[in-house]
Amino acid sequence: MGILRTPLQRAAEIGCFDIVQYLIQRGAIVDTNPGYSGGTALQLASMNGFCGITTFLLERGADPNYPPAKGDGRTAFEAAAEWSHIDTMSLLMQWNVGLDLEVGGPPKSQ
């Protein structure tokens, strides 16, 4: 049916903090596996530079080192860096993102 995102992933991607908060309070899984070329809620929020949502998700247990989706996926740090969201990159570094994390095939560090 063309559904590529969970409600939490979509809300994080478009910056709807109230909906992200509501879904988490109702038991949404923070690190849901992304679809092909998709991302976790954290990866999508980071890609779009939504620091408030990124912080909220990290405080609720989102993994800043979650591997990227197959296809054109990105880690949260890679997504923030690709779109020049310096504030989001700094935030992720404060949450111990693994800058030496190896991803892809052949593996390379982010």
Side-chain angles (χ1 to χ4, degrees):
M1 293 183 56
I3 299 172
L4 301 176
R5 309 268 193 262
T6 66
L8 179 61
Q9 289 167 336
R10 185 64 180 143
E13 179 179 35
I14 62 174
C16 291
F17 186 89
D18 293 343
I19 295 174
V20 169
Q21 187 176 31
Y22 175 83
L23 292 169
I24 294 293
Q25 289 172 347
R26 299 299 181 270
I29 299 169
V30 175
D31 282 332
T32 305
N33 288 331
Y36 186 83
S37 292
T40 64
L42 179 66
Q43 292 165 348
L44 295 167
S46 297
M47 178 177 67
N48 290 297
F50 298 128
C51 280
I53 293 173
T54 300
T55 301
F56 182 80
L57 293 169
L58 288 165
E59 289 172 346
R60 273 39 181 202
D63 181 0
N65 296 304
Y66 200 94
K70 292 181 181 182
D72 294 324
R74 307 281 187 273
T75 65
F77 189 82
E78 288 174 327
E82 182 175 358
W83 293 96
S84 302
H85 297 299
I86 305 301
D87 50 349
T88 307
M89 292 167 60
S90 296
L91 173 65
L92 290 165
M93 289 177 69
Q94 291 172 22
W95 282 82
N96 298 319
V97 69
L99 296 179
D100 58 349
L101 179 70
E102 291 190 350
V103 296
K108 50 188 173 172
S109 67
Q110 59 178 348

